[in-house]
Amino acid sequence: MSTAMAMPVRLSVRRSDEAVVEDLDWQSVPFGLLQEARPWRTFRWYKGQQHYSGTYWSATVRDHLIYESRLELGRLLFADFAPDVRHIVAQPFLLKADIDGKVRKHIPDFLLLTDAGPLVVDVKPRHRLKKPEVAFTFSWTREAVTSRGWRYEVWSEPDPAVLENIRFLAGYRRDWLFDPELVGSLRAADLDGMLLGDAFRLLPDCPRPLVKSAVLHLLWSGQVTTALDRPLSAGHVLRRPA
């Protein structure tokens, strides 16, 4: 779907002190301002609502982030798990563009600061992507984002096995709950090529549940990896990251 932007894209952002700054030039707005932005939209829970909103404590930002659907929560889990994601902002800004004589507005779902640069993410169920209004909005948003040299992503339902594994490992994301000496001993062990079940039985002088939890924390934090396309089991092979 072709679009004709008549004017430069503008941006509005809610600063960390909750003050709103409006109609900034998209191309020149400082990234630091966006990195510290508060969610543009606020939400309330109410009886009978059709979606599931909430907050998620992110190990990446060490603070709570909002989401407005279970699918958005899934994208948050993937971002929090990814080793190349350094920062996450939910509902980072409001974009405005004059297109075909009308002012168009859109609030992306997430802004991710990654090792490869900023990534703007919109989350939408796959069955809604072909709706003309959705396709139109994502088309001009992609054009605006990429015009600044940033990446843009539309994210839909992931592999369910991968999602469930990441959701399970997220239970071990809080690093302060683990004994640093225990984690250090496991990190120093030769885990490459070891079965997950065998790793759980390392350090026999330590309680088995503590060892198991620490191994799963290493998986969450990316210090060891394994295939996540099937339910985790004792037969999964651990690998050191490349």
PDB file of all heavy atoms in Angstrom, residues 65-90:
ATOM      1  N   LEU A  65       7.750  -3.409  33.392  1.00  0.00           N
ATOM      2  CA  LEU A  65       7.318  -2.915  32.098  1.00  0.00           C
ATOM      3  C   LEU A  65       5.864  -3.321  31.889  1.00  0.00           C
ATOM      4  O   LEU A  65       5.442  -4.397  32.321  1.00  0.00           O
ATOM      5  CB  LEU A  65       8.173  -3.503  30.969  1.00  0.00           C
ATOM      6  CG  LEU A  65       9.661  -3.136  30.985  1.00  0.00           C
ATOM      7  CD1 LEU A  65      10.426  -4.015  30.004  1.00  0.00           C
ATOM      8  CD2 LEU A  65       9.851  -1.658  30.646  1.00  0.00           C
ATOM      9  N   ILE A  66       5.104  -2.468  31.206  1.00  0.00           N
ATOM     10  CA  ILE A  66       3.696  -2.784  30.989  1.00  0.00           C
ATOM     11  C   ILE A  66       3.507  -3.549  29.681  1.00  0.00           C
ATOM     12  O   ILE A  66       4.313  -3.464  28.761  1.00  0.00           O
ATOM     13  CB  ILE A  66       2.826  -1.518  30.980  1.00  0.00           C
ATOM     14  CG1 ILE A  66       3.136  -0.640  29.750  1.00  0.00           C
ATOM     15  CG2 ILE A  66       2.997  -0.730  32.262  1.00  0.00           C
ATOM     16  CD1 ILE A  66       2.103   0.450  29.532  1.00  0.00           C
ATOM     17  N   TYR A  67       2.415  -4.289  29.618  1.00  0.00           N
ATOM     18  CA  TYR A  67       1.976  -4.925  28.374  1.00  0.00           C
ATOM     19  C   TYR A  67       0.454  -4.878  28.354  1.00  0.00           C
ATOM     20  O   TYR A  67      -0.200  -4.797  29.392  1.00  0.00           O
ATOM     21  CB  TYR A  67       2.485  -6.366  28.264  1.00  0.00           C
ATOM     22  CG  TYR A  67       2.032  -7.273  29.386  1.00  0.00           C
ATOM     23  CD1 TYR A  67       0.827  -7.969  29.314  1.00  0.00           C
ATOM     24  CD2 TYR A  67       2.812  -7.439  30.534  1.00  0.00           C
ATOM     25  CE1 TYR A  67       0.412  -8.797  30.354  1.00  0.00           C
ATOM     26  CE2 TYR A  67       2.402  -8.276  31.574  1.00  0.00           C
ATOM     27  CZ  TYR A  67       1.208  -8.955  31.466  1.00  0.00           C
ATOM     28  OH  TYR A  67       0.796  -9.767  32.486  1.00  0.00           O
ATOM     29  N   GLU A  68      -0.123  -4.943  27.154  1.00  0.00           N
ATOM     30  CA  GLU A  68      -1.568  -4.820  27.011  1.00  0.00           C
ATOM     31  C   GLU A  68      -2.230  -6.070  26.467  1.00  0.00           C
ATOM     32  O   GLU A  68      -3.438  -6.063  26.218  1.00  0.00           O
ATOM     33  CB  GLU A  68      -1.909  -3.618  26.131  1.00  0.00           C
ATOM     34  CG  GLU A  68      -1.581  -2.286  26.789  1.00  0.00           C
ATOM     35  CD  GLU A  68      -2.105  -1.094  26.018  1.00  0.00           C
ATOM     36  OE1 GLU A  68      -1.970  -1.085  24.779  1.00  0.00           O
ATOM     37  OE2 GLU A  68      -2.648  -0.181  26.653  1.00  0.00           O
ATOM     38  N   SER A  69      -1.463  -7.133  26.279  1.00  0.00           N
ATOM     39  CA  SER A  69      -2.043  -8.400  25.834  1.00  0.00           C
ATOM     40  C   SER A  69      -1.074  -9.518  26.172  1.00  0.00           C
ATOM     41  O   SER A  69       0.108  -9.281  26.437  1.00  0.00           O
ATOM     42  CB  SER A  69      -2.315  -8.381  24.319  1.00  0.00           C
ATOM     43  OG  SER A  69      -1.085  -8.380  23.593  1.00  0.00           O
ATOM     44  N   ARG A  70      -1.564 -10.738  26.138  1.00  0.00           N
ATOM     45  CA  ARG A  70      -0.678 -11.874  26.381  1.00  0.00           C
ATOM     46  C   ARG A  70       0.363 -12.001  25.274  1.00  0.00           C
ATOM     47  O   ARG A  70       1.474 -12.458  25.516  1.00  0.00           O
ATOM     48  CB  ARG A  70      -1.495 -13.167  26.476  1.00  0.00           C
ATOM     49  CG  ARG A  70      -2.506 -13.183  27.606  1.00  0.00           C
ATOM     50  CD  ARG A  70      -1.855 -13.183  28.965  1.00  0.00           C
ATOM     51  NE  ARG A  70      -1.196 -14.432  29.266  1.00  0.00           N
ATOM     52  CZ  ARG A  70      -0.555 -14.701  30.400  1.00  0.00           C
ATOM     53  NH1 ARG A  70      -0.492 -13.769  31.345  1.00  0.00           N
ATOM     54  NH2 ARG A  70       0.015 -15.862  30.602  1.00  0.00           N
ATOM     55  N   LEU A  71       0.004 -11.585  24.064  1.00  0.00           N
ATOM     56  CA  LEU A  71       0.972 -11.630  22.972  1.00  0.00           C
ATOM     57  C   LEU A  71       2.091 -10.626  23.208  1.00  0.00           C
ATOM     58  O   LEU A  71       3.270 -10.921  22.961  1.00  0.00           O
ATOM     59  CB  LEU A  71       0.270 -11.362  21.637  1.00  0.00           C
ATOM     60  CG  LEU A  71       1.098 -11.644  20.378  1.00  0.00           C
ATOM     61  CD1 LEU A  71       1.541 -13.102  20.324  1.00  0.00           C
ATOM     62  CD2 LEU A  71       0.295 -11.297  19.123  1.00  0.00           C
ATOM     63  N   GLU A  72       1.750  -9.431  23.702  1.00  0.00           N
ATOM     64  CA  GLU A  72       2.788  -8.458  24.049  1.00  0.00           C
ATOM     65  C   GLU A  72       3.676  -8.988  25.174  1.00  0.00           C
ATOM     66  O   GLU A  72       4.897  -8.769  25.163  1.00  0.00           O
ATOM     67  CB  GLU A  72       2.157  -7.128  24.463  1.00  0.00           C
ATOM     68  CG  GLU A  72       1.601  -6.324  23.307  1.00  0.00           C
ATOM     69  CD  GLU A  72       1.161  -4.940  23.737  1.00  0.00           C
ATOM     70  OE1 GLU A  72       1.589  -4.471  24.814  1.00  0.00           O
ATOM     71  OE2 GLU A  72       0.385  -4.319  22.989  1.00  0.00           O
ATOM     72  N   LEU A  73       3.087  -9.676  26.129  1.00  0.00           N
ATOM     73  CA  LEU A  73       3.895 -10.287  27.189  1.00  0.00           C
ATOM     74  C   LEU A  73       4.873 -11.294  26.601  1.00  0.00           C
ATOM     75  O   LEU A  73       6.034 -11.369  27.022  1.00  0.00           O
ATOM     76  CB  LEU A  73       2.993 -10.961  28.225  1.00  0.00           C
ATOM     77  CG  LEU A  73       3.701 -11.762  29.322  1.00  0.00           C
ATOM     78  CD1 LEU A  73       4.693 -10.903  30.105  1.00  0.00           C
ATOM     79  CD2 LEU A  73       2.679 -12.400  30.258  1.00  0.00           C
ATOM     80  N   GLY A  74       4.419 -12.056  25.615  1.00  0.00           N
ATOM     81  CA  GLY A  74       5.319 -12.989  24.951  1.00  0.00           C
ATOM     82  C   GLY A  74       6.508 -12.287  24.319  1.00  0.00           C
ATOM     83  O   GLY A  74       7.653 -12.741  24.446  1.00  0.00           O
ATOM     84  N   ARG A  75       6.257 -11.146  23.662  1.00  0.00           N
ATOM     85  CA  ARG A  75       7.382 -10.418  23.045  1.00  0.00           C
ATOM     86  C   ARG A  75       8.316  -9.874  24.107  1.00  0.00           C
ATOM     87  O   ARG A  75       9.540  -9.842  23.921  1.00  0.00           O
ATOM     88  CB  ARG A  75       6.856  -9.274  22.159  1.00  0.00           C
ATOM     89  CG  ARG A  75       7.979  -8.573  21.378  1.00  0.00           C
ATOM     90  CD  ARG A  75       8.652  -9.546  20.436  1.00  0.00           C
ATOM     91  NE  ARG A  75       9.778  -9.004  19.699  1.00  0.00           N
ATOM     92  CZ  ARG A  75      11.049  -9.063  20.092  1.00  0.00           C
ATOM     93  NH1 ARG A  75      11.359  -9.616  21.279  1.00  0.00           N
ATOM     94  NH2 ARG A  75      12.015  -8.577  19.348  1.00  0.00           N
ATOM     95  N   LEU A  76       7.757  -9.439  25.251  1.00  0.00           N
ATOM     96  CA  LEU A  76       8.600  -8.989  26.350  1.00  0.00           C
ATOM     97  C   LEU A  76       9.497 -10.114  26.847  1.00  0.00           C
ATOM     98  O   LEU A  76      10.685  -9.896  27.135  1.00  0.00           O
ATOM     99  CB  LEU A  76       7.732  -8.475  27.504  1.00  0.00           C
ATOM    100  CG  LEU A  76       7.378  -6.998  27.536  1.00  0.00           C
ATOM    101  CD1 LEU A  76       6.522  -6.699  28.766  1.00  0.00           C
ATOM    102  CD2 LEU A  76       8.628  -6.136  27.544  1.00  0.00           C
ATOM    103  N   LEU A  77       8.952 -11.309  26.989  1.00  0.00           N
ATOM    104  CA  LEU A  77       9.749 -12.449  27.441  1.00  0.00           C
ATOM    105  C   LEU A  77      10.900 -12.725  26.476  1.00  0.00           C
ATOM    106  O   LEU A  77      12.042 -12.939  26.892  1.00  0.00           O
ATOM    107  CB  LEU A  77       8.866 -13.690  27.575  1.00  0.00           C
ATOM    108  CG  LEU A  77       7.921 -13.719  28.769  1.00  0.00           C
ATOM    109  CD1 LEU A  77       6.846 -14.789  28.579  1.00  0.00           C
ATOM    110  CD2 LEU A  77       8.694 -13.989  30.060  1.00  0.00           C
ATOM    111  N   PHE A  78      10.618 -12.710  25.178  1.00  0.00           N
ATOM    112  CA  PHE A  78      11.667 -12.944  24.183  1.00  0.00           C
ATOM    113  C   PHE A  78      12.737 -11.859  24.265  1.00  0.00           C
ATOM    114  O   PHE A  78      13.934 -12.146  24.169  1.00  0.00           O
ATOM    115  CB  PHE A  78      11.069 -12.988  22.776  1.00  0.00           C
ATOM    116  CG  PHE A  78      10.611 -14.347  22.346  1.00  0.00           C
ATOM    117  CD1 PHE A  78       9.472 -14.919  22.890  1.00  0.00           C
ATOM    118  CD2 PHE A  78      11.307 -15.069  21.395  1.00  0.00           C
ATOM    119  CE1 PHE A  78       9.031 -16.169  22.495  1.00  0.00           C
ATOM    120  CE2 PHE A  78      10.889 -16.331  20.988  1.00  0.00           C
ATOM    121  CZ  PHE A  78       9.742 -16.884  21.540  1.00  0.00           C
ATOM    122  N   ALA A  79      12.306 -10.594  24.436  1.00  0.00           N
ATOM    123  CA  ALA A  79      13.280  -9.498  24.522  1.00  0.00           C
ATOM    124  C   ALA A  79      14.125  -9.620  25.783  1.00  0.00           C
ATOM    125  O   ALA A  79      15.345  -9.391  25.754  1.00  0.00           O
ATOM    126  CB  ALA A  79      12.554  -8.156  24.494  1.00  0.00           C
ATOM    127  N   ASP A  80      13.490  -9.971  26.897  1.00  0.00           N
ATOM    128  CA  ASP A  80      14.209 -10.077  28.160  1.00  0.00           C
ATOM    129  C   ASP A  80      15.217 -11.230  28.121  1.00  0.00           C
ATOM    130  O   ASP A  80      16.267 -11.174  28.760  1.00  0.00           O
ATOM    131  CB  ASP A  80      13.205 -10.295  29.298  1.00  0.00           C
ATOM    132  CG  ASP A  80      13.698  -9.764  30.637  1.00  0.00           C
ATOM    133  OD1 ASP A  80      14.534  -8.842  30.646  1.00  0.00           O
ATOM    134  OD2 ASP A  80      13.224 -10.265  31.667  1.00  0.00           O
ATOM    135  N   PHE A  81      14.897 -12.259  27.360  1.00  0.00           N
ATOM    136  CA  PHE A  81      15.748 -13.444  27.253  1.00  0.00           C
ATOM    137  C   PHE A  81      16.910 -13.234  26.276  1.00  0.00           C
ATOM    138  O   PHE A  81      17.964 -13.876  26.411  1.00  0.00           O
ATOM    139  CB  PHE A  81      14.891 -14.626  26.816  1.00  0.00           C
ATOM    140  CG  PHE A  81      15.624 -15.932  26.669  1.00  0.00           C
ATOM    141  CD1 PHE A  81      16.142 -16.591  27.775  1.00  0.00           C
ATOM    142  CD2 PHE A  81      15.794 -16.502  25.422  1.00  0.00           C
ATOM    143  CE1 PHE A  81      16.805 -17.802  27.644  1.00  0.00           C
ATOM    144  CE2 PHE A  81      16.452 -17.713  25.279  1.00  0.00           C
ATOM    145  CZ  PHE A  81      16.960 -18.368  26.392  1.00  0.00           C
ATOM    146  N   ALA A  82      16.741 -12.352  25.299  1.00  0.00           N
ATOM    147  CA  ALA A  82      17.732 -12.199  24.234  1.00  0.00           C
ATOM    148  C   ALA A  82      19.000 -11.535  24.756  1.00  0.00           C
ATOM    149  O   ALA A  82      18.940 -10.443  25.330  1.00  0.00           O
ATOM    150  CB  ALA A  82      17.144 -11.368  23.093  1.00  0.00           C
ATOM    151  N   PRO A  83      20.164 -12.132  24.550  1.00  0.00           N
ATOM    152  CA  PRO A  83      21.409 -11.557  25.082  1.00  0.00           C
ATOM    153  C   PRO A  83      21.823 -10.260  24.397  1.00  0.00           C
ATOM    154  O   PRO A  83      22.604  -9.492  24.965  1.00  0.00           O
ATOM    155  CB  PRO A  83      22.438 -12.666  24.836  1.00  0.00           C
ATOM    156  CG  PRO A  83      21.870 -13.483  23.719  1.00  0.00           C
ATOM    157  CD  PRO A  83      20.387 -13.433  23.883  1.00  0.00           C
ATOM    158  N   ASP A  84      21.302  -9.993  23.192  1.00  0.00           N
ATOM    159  CA  ASP A  84      21.706  -8.777  22.486  1.00  0.00           C
ATOM    160  C   ASP A  84      20.808  -7.591  22.792  1.00  0.00           C
ATOM    161  O   ASP A  84      21.052  -6.489  22.296  1.00  0.00           O
ATOM    162  CB  ASP A  84      21.728  -9.023  20.972  1.00  0.00           C
ATOM    163  CG  ASP A  84      20.347  -9.298  20.410  1.00  0.00           C
ATOM    164  OD1 ASP A  84      19.532  -9.942  21.105  1.00  0.00           O
ATOM    165  OD2 ASP A  84      20.072  -8.872  19.262  1.00  0.00           O
ATOM    166  N   VAL A  85      19.777  -7.767  23.620  1.00  0.00           N
ATOM    167  CA  VAL A  85      18.892  -6.663  23.992  1.00  0.00           C
ATOM    168  C   VAL A  85      19.410  -6.046  25.279  1.00  0.00           C
ATOM    169  O   VAL A  85      19.515  -6.711  26.313  1.00  0.00           O
ATOM    170  CB  VAL A  85      17.440  -7.138  24.167  1.00  0.00           C
ATOM    171  CG1 VAL A  85      16.567  -6.006  24.698  1.00  0.00           C
ATOM    172  CG2 VAL A  85      16.885  -7.649  22.834  1.00  0.00           C
ATOM    173  N   ARG A  86      19.738  -4.753  25.226  1.00  0.00           N
ATOM    174  CA  ARG A  86      20.336  -4.050  26.362  1.00  0.00           C
ATOM    175  C   ARG A  86      19.333  -3.182  27.126  1.00  0.00           C
ATOM    176  O   ARG A  86      19.567  -2.842  28.290  1.00  0.00           O
ATOM    177  CB  ARG A  86      21.478  -3.168  25.869  1.00  0.00           C
ATOM    178  CG  ARG A  86      22.544  -3.922  25.085  1.00  0.00           C
ATOM    179  CD  ARG A  86      23.143  -5.048  25.904  1.00  0.00           C
ATOM    180  NE  ARG A  86      24.149  -5.795  25.154  1.00  0.00           N
ATOM    181  CZ  ARG A  86      24.722  -6.910  25.601  1.00  0.00           C
ATOM    182  NH1 ARG A  86      24.371  -7.395  26.782  1.00  0.00           N
ATOM    183  NH2 ARG A  86      25.616  -7.541  24.865  1.00  0.00           N
ATOM    184  N   HIS A  87      18.232  -2.819  26.474  1.00  0.00           N
ATOM    185  CA  HIS A  87      17.239  -1.975  27.154  1.00  0.00           C
ATOM    186  C   HIS A  87      15.906  -2.144  26.438  1.00  0.00           C
ATOM    187  O   HIS A  87      15.856  -2.434  25.230  1.00  0.00           O
ATOM    188  CB  HIS A  87      17.665  -0.507  27.133  1.00  0.00           C
ATOM    189  CG  HIS A  87      16.854   0.366  28.037  1.00  0.00           C
ATOM    190  ND1 HIS A  87      16.907   0.265  29.406  1.00  0.00           N
ATOM    191  CD2 HIS A  87      15.951   1.354  27.768  1.00  0.00           C
ATOM    192  CE1 HIS A  87      16.094   1.148  29.951  1.00  0.00           C
ATOM    193  NE2 HIS A  87      15.490   1.825  28.969  1.00  0.00           N
ATOM    194  N   ILE A  88      14.815  -1.974  27.194  1.00  0.00           N
ATOM    195  CA  ILE A  88      13.468  -2.136  26.659  1.00  0.00           C
ATOM    196  C   ILE A  88      12.614  -0.965  27.136  1.00  0.00           C
ATOM    197  O   ILE A  88      12.616  -0.634  28.324  1.00  0.00           O
ATOM    198  CB  ILE A  88      12.824  -3.454  27.139  1.00  0.00           C
ATOM    199  CG1 ILE A  88      13.725  -4.660  26.830  1.00  0.00           C
ATOM    200  CG2 ILE A  88      11.440  -3.642  26.509  1.00  0.00           C
ATOM    201  CD1 ILE A  88      13.287  -5.943  27.530  1.00  0.00           C
ATOM    202  N   VAL A  89      11.869  -0.347  26.218  1.00  0.00           N
ATOM    203  CA  VAL A  89      10.914   0.701  26.564  1.00  0.00           C
ATOM    204  C   VAL A  89       9.557   0.292  26.018  1.00  0.00           C
ATOM    205  O   VAL A  89       9.426  -0.024  24.829  1.00  0.00           O
ATOM    206  CB  VAL A  89      11.319   2.068  25.973  1.00  0.00           C
ATOM    207  CG1 VAL A  89      10.366   3.156  26.462  1.00  0.00           C
ATOM    208  CG2 VAL A  89      12.760   2.412  26.332  1.00  0.00           C
ATOM    209  N   ALA A  90       8.543   0.266  26.886  1.00  0.00           N
ATOM    210  CA  ALA A  90       7.186  -0.068  26.458  1.00  0.00           C
ATOM    211  C   ALA A  90       6.440   1.198  26.059  1.00  0.00           C
ATOM    212  O   ALA A  90       6.542   2.224  26.728  1.00  0.00           O
ATOM    213  CB  ALA A  90       6.447  -0.784  27.585  1.00  0.00           C
TER     214      ALA A  90
END
